[in-house]
């Protein structure tokens, strides 16, 4: 346990040294939030001018969605792809082979460590700004526990997806191809900006089997009280199933990779 | 003329080295097409529910975005690579190499590489332009075609100017890459939508300070007659090119100011 705490502490410390990076990321996310605020305001104004009712959700709720989507993007963010591809291409990955804990757990606790730092300097500022300027809707706190479970699922799904893409560096050198594809799948299918409830039926059906909406859409739908019992159950079951599949794939990838590593010289 | 010939030579060498790895070459192009496919699909979903975006329809918004994409991709083919690497080039002192060549450093920087990945953007934007033409039944009269051509030239110059100016900060600050990325990704994301959706201060900022609005919002709204098709319609392309040329010269000036300030990395 002390070992894990130390890894987390190291990550917190390295976070404090990259203050500039933190500042830039937070600024970028605030601008993105600002753009979304004006976008939804304009879309809702356009709908009411033509008296088209938007039944699923109100403007206030949509803005809340945007604020908390920004928050989730900070919580789930990790550096798996950069770290892994860099370590694999330079050969530094071998240092993980001589550590007393595995590669996966090292990365996981490093990421969790950066979250402690992010909570103070990224997440709280975003929520403060969000509440001061955009006046989001009141949230029913009764869903908090379910929201946290969904958030955990989303975190793990994203962590595993990025881990897999990072691991593919062992076989495929132009890693940015795969990381681009993943980013764009997430941008469209996860509900990061456009909630799945606006999707046409056929597309909705496809999306509901993919893992991506577990990251943003499900936690947010629960938080806003838009998911009923059966949808919740489906989301949790789907989350568990995808995490199991992705974790198994990760374990296999790491096993296959270990056979591929050739340590030169020394 | 000599410059064009020289660039041709550089380009052939670059393409040969890239096509050595044919699979990655086409992978690069394909992957970059996805950027805008995901954005455009997002618009399509939004317009399934919402009837309009501040008076703009789906195809009009695509046309608006396309002006941004075409100009960005064209200038990025030449500038994106060298500019994104400028921070590193300056910090490591590798920039020395460009000062001892018998050619302006900015040109050598640009000549050395070519952004073949942006071919993907151009493929997408050409297809979308054709689709918009069909869907909005745009008549390509001489007036319309010339209007678009000049606005594109102006847009390319403006995007290029912003890129060069932002990257030139490498000569003054350490983390210049963040400044560049913020200018070309974060700030540019404002013009994914018609700027009339923003408060006035943001509109003014995008018109006068970082004039991204001249790249797509003003040309598109004049083109679709969002405002009365007056003399401004014929006058605007000239303004666009003039502003673009002026900013581009200014950006080159900033770059050479930076070069004059450059004092290698020691050791």
């Amino acid at each position: 346990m002390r070992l894990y705490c130390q890894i987390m502490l190291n990550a917190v410390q390295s976070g404090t040294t990259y203050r500039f990076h933190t500042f830039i990321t937070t600024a970028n996310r605030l601008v993105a939030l600002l753009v979304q605020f004006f976008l939804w305001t304009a879309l809702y104004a356009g709908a009411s001018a033509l008296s088209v009712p938007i039944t699923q959700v109100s403007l206030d709720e949509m803005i809340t969605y945007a604020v908390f989507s920004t928050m989730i993007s900070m919580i789930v963010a990790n550096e798996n792809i950069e770290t892994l591809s860099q370590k694999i291409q330079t050969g530094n990955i071998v240092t993980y082979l001589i550590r007393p804990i595995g590669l996966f757990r090292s990365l996981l606790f490093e990421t969790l460590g950066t979250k402690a730092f992010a909570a103070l300097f990224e997440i709280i500022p975003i929520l403060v700004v969000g509440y001061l300027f955009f006046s989001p809707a009141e949230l029913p706190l009764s869903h908090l526990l379910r929201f946290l479970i969904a958030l955990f699922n989303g975190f793990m799904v994203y962590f595993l997806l990025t881990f897999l893409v990072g691991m593919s560096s062992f076989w495929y050198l132009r890693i940015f191809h795969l990381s681009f594809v993943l980013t764009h799948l997430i941008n469209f299918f996860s509900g990061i900006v456009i909630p799945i409830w606006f999707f046409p039926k056929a597309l909705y059906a496809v999306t509901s089997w993919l893992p991506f909406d577990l990251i943003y859409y499900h936690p947010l739908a629960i938080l806003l009280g838009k998911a009923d019992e059966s949808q919740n159950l489906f989301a949790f079951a789907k989350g568990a199933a995808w995490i199991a599949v992705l974790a198994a794939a990760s374990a296999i990838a790491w096993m296959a990779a270990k056979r591929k590593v050739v340590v030169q010289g020394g | 003329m000599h410059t064009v010939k020289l660039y041709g030579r550089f380009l052939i060498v670059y393409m040969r080295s890239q096509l050595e790895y044919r699979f990655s070459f086409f992978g690069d192009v394909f992957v970059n097409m996805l950027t805008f496919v995901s954005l455009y699909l997002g618009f399509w979903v939004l317009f399934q529910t919402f009837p309009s975006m501040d008076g703009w329809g789906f195809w009009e918004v695509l046309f608006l975005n396309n002006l941004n994409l075409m100009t960005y991709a064209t200038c990025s083919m030449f500038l994106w690579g060298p500019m994104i690497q400028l921070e590193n080039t300056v910090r490591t002192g590798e920039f020395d190499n460009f000062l001892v060549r018998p050619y302006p450093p900015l040109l050598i920087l640009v000549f050395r590489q070519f952004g073949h990945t942006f071919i993907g953007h151009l493929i997408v934007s050409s297809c979308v332009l054709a689709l918009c033409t069909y869907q909005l039944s745009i008549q390509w009269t001489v007036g319309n075609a010339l209007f678009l051509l000049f606005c594109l030239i102006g847009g390319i110059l403006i995007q290029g100017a912003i890129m060069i100016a932002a990257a030139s900060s490498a000569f003054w600050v350490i983390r210049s890459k963040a400044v560049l990325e913020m200018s070309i990704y974060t700030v540019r994301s404002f013009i994914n939508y018609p700027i009339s959706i923003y408060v006035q201060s943001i509109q003014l900022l995008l018109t006068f300070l970082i004039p991204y609005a001249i790249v797509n919002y003003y040309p598109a709204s004049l083109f679709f007659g969002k405002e009365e098709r007056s003399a401004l319609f014929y006058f605007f392309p000239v303004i666009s090119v003039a502003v673009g040329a002026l900013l581009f010269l200014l950006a080159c000036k900033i770059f050479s100011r930076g070069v004059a300030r450059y004092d290698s990395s020691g050791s």
Side-chain angles (χ1 to χ4, degrees), chain A residues 65-231:
Chain A
Y65 188 100
V67 171
F68 281 93
S69 162
T70 310
M71 184 191 82
I72 292 180
S73 76
M74 291 172 164
I75 293 175
V76 299
N78 64 54
E79 309 253 305
N80 282 354
I81 297 178
E82 296 85 351
T83 313
L84 281 172
S85 64
Q86 193 222 354
K87 289 221 152 101
I88 290 167
Q89 274 162 26
T90 58
N92 283 336
I93 194 83
V94 293
T95 56
Y96 282 105
L97 291 172
I98 53 172
R99 284 189 184 181
I101 48 171
L103 167 68
F104 186 81
R105 268 175 287 171
S106 297
L107 282 175
L108 185 62
F109 282 92
E110 260 170 50
T111 307
L112 289 177
T114 60
K115 292 308 145 199
F117 178 76
L120 275 177
F121 294 99
E122 294 177 30
I123 297 168
I124 293 173
I126 283 284
L127 288 181
V128 169
V129 172
Y131 269 89
L132 282 182
F133 291 98
F134 304 130
S135 61
E138 288 275 321
L139 291 175
L141 280 177
S142 52
H143 304 307
L144 198 62
L145 183 65
R146 266 172 281 177
F147 168 72
L148 289 176
I149 297 172
L151 188 61
F152 172 79
N153 278 352
F155 176 87
M156 282 315 291
V157 166
Y158 185 67
F159 191 88
L160 286 160
L161 284 171
T162 47
F163 182 81
L164 276 172
V165 169
M167 286 300 277
S168 62
S169 291
F170 274 111
W171 298 274
Y172 189 67
L173 278 179
R174 289 240 176 175
I175 197 67
F176 88 88
H177 288 174
L178 297 176
S179 103
F180 247 60
V181 171
L182 180 66
T183 307
H184 292 298
L185 283 172
I186 288 174
N187 278 352
F188 185 69
F189 286 110
S190 73
I192 184 169
V193 175
I194 303 165
I196 315 299
W197 58 59
F198 289 133
F199 279 28
K201 262 215 173 72
L203 205 55
Y204 186 98
V206 174
T207 310
S208 62
W209 291 105
L210 295 173
F212 308 109
D213 61 345
L214 291 163
I215 308 170
Y216 291 95
Y217 172 73
H218 279 303
L220 290 168
I222 291 171
L223 192 68
L224 288 169
K226 296 284 168 190
D228 59 33
E229 267 328 299
S230 65
Q231 279 169 323

Side-chain angles (χ1 to χ4, degrees), chain A residues 17-18 20-21 24 27-29 31-32 34-36 38-44 46-47 50 52-54 56 62 172 174 176-178 180-181 184-185 187-188 193-195 197-200 203, chain B residues 18 21 23-32 34-38 41-54 116-117 175 178-179 181-182 186-187 189-190 193 197-199 202:
Chain A
T17 49
Y18 294 111
F20 183 76
H21 179 78
I24 291 286
N28 285 341
R29 289 198 164 119
V31 172
L34 191 71
V35 170
Q36 283 181 57
F38 286 111
L39 172 67
W40 292 116
T41 310
L43 286 172
Y44 274 85
L50 295 164
V52 176
I54 308 299
Q56 297 95 332
M62 212 41 246
Y172 189 67
R174 289 240 176 175
F176 88 88
H177 288 174
L178 297 176
F180 247 60
V181 171
H184 292 298
L185 283 172
N187 278 352
F188 185 69
V193 175
I194 303 165
W197 58 59
F198 289 133
F199 279 28
L203 205 55
Chain B
Q18 287 298 321
Y21 309 98
F23 181 76
S24 350
F25 181 86
F26 290 111
D28 291 348
V29 173
F30 172 75
V31 157
N32 274 277
L34 287 180
T35 321
F36 287 87
V37 171
S38 73
L41 271 177
F43 283 126
W44 177 74
V45 168
L46 282 180
F47 277 98
Q48 299 295 305
T49 308
F50 296 94
S52 94
M53 191 181 286
D54 208 34
H116 66 274
T117 50
R175 302 293 190 84
V179 177
E181 287 180 335
M182 208 155 181
T186 314
V187 178
S189 71
F190 276 114
Y193 314 103
I197 68 172
Y198 304 116
V199 285
I202 297 179

